[in-house]
């Protein structure tokens, strides 16, 4: 029972972690003409095979809820890329020494990092119309990433990213 409570708490914590998303799109695009999609066949997501499957499942579920269907002759293709980068530790403890007297002063200070550094995962999702317009919509998400997260946490985090990314698709002009 205790392990279930810990799992639920962990999932809630992962779901509450901020996901930042930047969007861009071609303002001349008629988004109403797009009803079917497919993924690029040679897509290199930069994710593990299992995380790629989790991400594609989350996208399929969200796209279905938006009224889109997967097709062998799609109106547009989806390309996904990701990268991980490590940020500097956010918290430090300062230790300083100083002295002075007779109008002379000096000091030494160093910052000691507390805790681990932050790993951020950036996922870029492109919607591409190969029949004419090329790239017509793009979302770039950034969120904290824990490489040692359990599968349930990974799945919930990827679902949260997809929800945030597609919450404004199709965009209002």
């Amino acid at each position: 029972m205790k392990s279930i409570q810990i799992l639920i708490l962990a999932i809630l914590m992962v779901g509450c972690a901020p996901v930042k998303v930047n969007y861009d799109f071609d303002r001349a695009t008629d988004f109403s003409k797009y009803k079917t999609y497919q993924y690029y066949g040679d897509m290199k997501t930069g994710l593990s095979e299992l995380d790629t499957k989790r991400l594609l499942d989350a996208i399929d579920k969200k796209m279905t809820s938006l009224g889109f269907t997967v097709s062998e002759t799609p109106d547009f293709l989806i390309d996904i890329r990701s990268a991980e980068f490590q940020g500097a530790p956010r918290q430090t403890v300062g230790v300083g020494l100083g002295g002075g007297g007779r109008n002379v002063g000096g000091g030494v200070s160093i910052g000691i990092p507390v805790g681990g550094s932050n790993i951020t995962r950036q996922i870029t999702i492109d919607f591409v119309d190969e029949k004419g317009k090329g790239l017509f919509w793009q979302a770039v998400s950034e969120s904290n990433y824990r490489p040692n997260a359990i599968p349930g946490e990974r799945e919930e985090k990827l679902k949260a990213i997809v929800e945030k990314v597609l919450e404004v698709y199709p965009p209002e002009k």
Side-chain angles (χ1 to χ4, degrees), residues 124-173:
T124 303
I125 300 176
D126 294 335
F127 288 6
V128 180
D129 180 349
E130 287 196 324
K131 298 173 188 155
K133 292 197 71 68
L135 179 67
F136 65 90
W137 185 84
Q138 181 179 65
V140 180
S141 72
E142 287 187 7
S143 60
N144 293 337
Y145 172 64
R146 289 189 29 226
N148 59 346
I150 62 173
E153 290 176 357
R154 290 172 179 255
E155 184 174 354
E156 289 303 314
K157 183 66 169 187
L158 291 170
K159 283 180 183 177
I161 290 169
V162 169
E163 284 294 322
K164 182 78 172 175
V165 164
L166 293 174
E167 75 182 358
V168 295
Y169 186 84
E172 294 179 18
K173 295 184 181 185

Side-chain angles (χ1 to χ4, degrees), residues 4-172:
I4 292 173
Q5 292 173 339
I6 291 172
L7 178 63
I8 290 171
L9 179 63
I11 289 172
L12 287 174
M13 289 175 61
V14 169
C16 296
V19 177
K20 298 174 190 163
V21 181
N22 291 315
Y23 305 95
D24 198 7
F25 62 94
D26 181 354
R27 293 182 59 84
T29 301
D30 177 11
F31 288 92
S32 65
K33 74 177 187 174
Y34 298 113
K35 301 292 182 204
T36 61
Y37 71 96
Q38 186 56 265
Y39 299 98
Y40 272 100
D42 60 347
M43 189 167 49
K44 307 255 188 295
T45 65
L47 303 171
S48 72
E49 192 172 333
L50 291 171
D51 279 345
T52 297
K53 181 178 179 345
R54 290 179 185 112
L55 181 63
L56 297 182
D57 287 347
I59 291 173
D60 286 342
K61 186 175 181 179
K62 182 64 176 178
M63 293 295 281
T64 299
S65 74
L66 293 172
F68 295 90
T69 56
V70 177
S71 172
E72 292 302 316
T73 56
D75 298 327
F76 67 95
L77 296 173
I78 298 176
D79 189 22
I80 301 167
R81 298 176 311 282
S82 72
E84 295 171 13
F85 52 93
Q86 192 165 355
R90 291 185 180 169
Q91 299 174 345
T92 59
V93 173
V95 177
L97 298 172
R102 296 188 169 202
N103 298 328
V104 178
V108 176
S109 178
I110 58 172
I112 301 170
V114 177
S117 56
N118 301 319
I119 299 176
T120 301
R121 176 185 278 165
Q122 181 181 65
I123 298 177
T124 303
I125 300 176
D126 294 335
F127 288 6
V128 180
D129 180 349
E130 287 196 324
K131 298 173 188 155
K133 292 197 71 68
L135 179 67
F136 65 90
W137 185 84
Q138 181 179 65
V140 180
S141 72
E142 287 187 7
S143 60
N144 293 337
Y145 172 64
R146 289 189 29 226
N148 59 346
I150 62 173
E153 290 176 357
R154 290 172 179 255
E155 184 174 354
E156 289 303 314
K157 183 66 169 187
L158 291 170
K159 283 180 183 177
I161 290 169
V162 169
E163 284 294 322
K164 182 78 172 175
V165 164
L166 293 174
E167 75 182 358
V168 295
Y169 186 84
E172 294 179 18

